[in-house]
DNA sequence: TATATTATTCGTACTTTTGCGAACAACAAA
DNA sequence: TTTGTTGTTCGCAAAAGTACGAATAATATA
């Protein structure tokens, strides 16, 4: 057991992954990525959970940097944070795209 | 609020993402992907956590399908589950690669 | 048989997540 | 000013996640 902590890179990808680690949040991201209008109410309509819970999930996605929101009184409009979305895309592609050890000694 | 639950696809990608949602598990996956020998002890040496905790994280990764393990008495050898790894790679690429709405009405 | 090695499981403590309804805040409209 | 609309925050409860040391299991070795 080393005393070396995790790298920034590891923390960062885990942060993105964690934010995507709930079907409601995947559904939200999918919806936002496909819609022109992204009001809270529209999102809530799409999901099988109470508005308080939707609000919570949106907050987490915002804190993870995957989405952003702005007030358009009396509504709130959400959308994908494109910059961080691209970052996440690259990080997951690199991470999952790395060469997997294919040596025989590594399981069968 | 609809009463429609989440799709299989949404559940599945969330499941993978959740498994990747902790830096220790990212570290484990990275290590396994890069190593020829993947014994429990080697993994434990790389991480700043107790062996009981390592074992727990390995269990979660195994249950999510991202890794597999086999006993090689008296050790246990772990490795990436290549098939599911490829599935995950494809799912994340599709998910993050989808076209993001670029219309002006969708935030600024 | 006793001992050593390796990793999992158990028991426990604490924190975080998920979810809900109710209360609240912000603002426009009557 | 009162009322209505829209979302967030609060307070709570239940469940899941994280972490550890100790106990255990499985098997090889002395």
């Amino acid at each position: 057991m080393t005393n070396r902590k995790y790298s920034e890179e590891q923390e960062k990808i885990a942060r993105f992954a964690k934010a995507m680690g709930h079907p409601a949040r995947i559904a939200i991201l999918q919806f936002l990525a496909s819609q022109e209008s992204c009001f809270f109410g529209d999102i809530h309509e799409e999901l099988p959970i109470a508005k308080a819970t939707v609000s919570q999930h949106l907050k987490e996605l915002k804190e993870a940097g995957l989405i952003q929101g702005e007030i358009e009184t009396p509504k709130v409009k959400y959308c994908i944070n494109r910059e961080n979305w691209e970052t996440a895309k690259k990080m997951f592609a690199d991470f999952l795209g790395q060469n997997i050890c294919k040596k025989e000694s590594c399981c069968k």
Side-chain angles (χ1 to χ4, degrees), chain A:
Chain A
M1 165 168 151
T2 181
N3 71 342
R4 203 165 12 88
K5 276 297 183 187
Y6 310 107
S7 72
E8 289 295 325
E9 200 75 357
Q10 287 166 342
E11 299 271 7
K12 197 170 174 185
I13 193 166
R15 185 82 181 76
F16 279 135
K18 190 176 181 184
M20 293 170 56
H22 191 290
R25 293 196 290 268
I26 290 293
I28 289 170
L29 291 173
Q30 264 179 348
F31 186 69
L32 286 185
S34 72
Q35 294 296 312
E36 179 177 357
S37 71
C38 323
F39 293 116
F40 174 91
D42 302 326
I43 299 168
H44 177 216
E45 260 188 6
E46 282 293 305
L47 298 177
I49 48 179
K51 63 179 178 172
T53 310
V54 173
S55 210
Q56 240 173 187
H57 283 304
L58 288 167
K59 190 178 176 186
E60 286 185 55
L61 288 171
K62 201 159 49 175
E63 283 171 359
L66 288 171
I67 67 171
Q68 54 192 296
E70 64 183 49
I71 297 170
E72 209 165 276
T73 305
K75 299 189 178 180
V76 177
K77 187 149 72 177
Y78 283 97
C79 63
I80 300 291
N81 180 320
R82 288 179 208 143
E83 189 179 333
N84 291 335
W85 185 271
E86 288 306 314
T87 302
K89 173 163 38 173
K90 181 154 181 20
M91 292 188 80
F92 278 97
D94 288 353
F95 183 78
L96 291 163
Q98 66 190 302
N99 284 324
I100 310 302
C101 167
K102 292 204 172 52
K103 302 197 176 123
E104 285 169 28
S105 61
C106 207
C107 297
K108 52 188 170 190

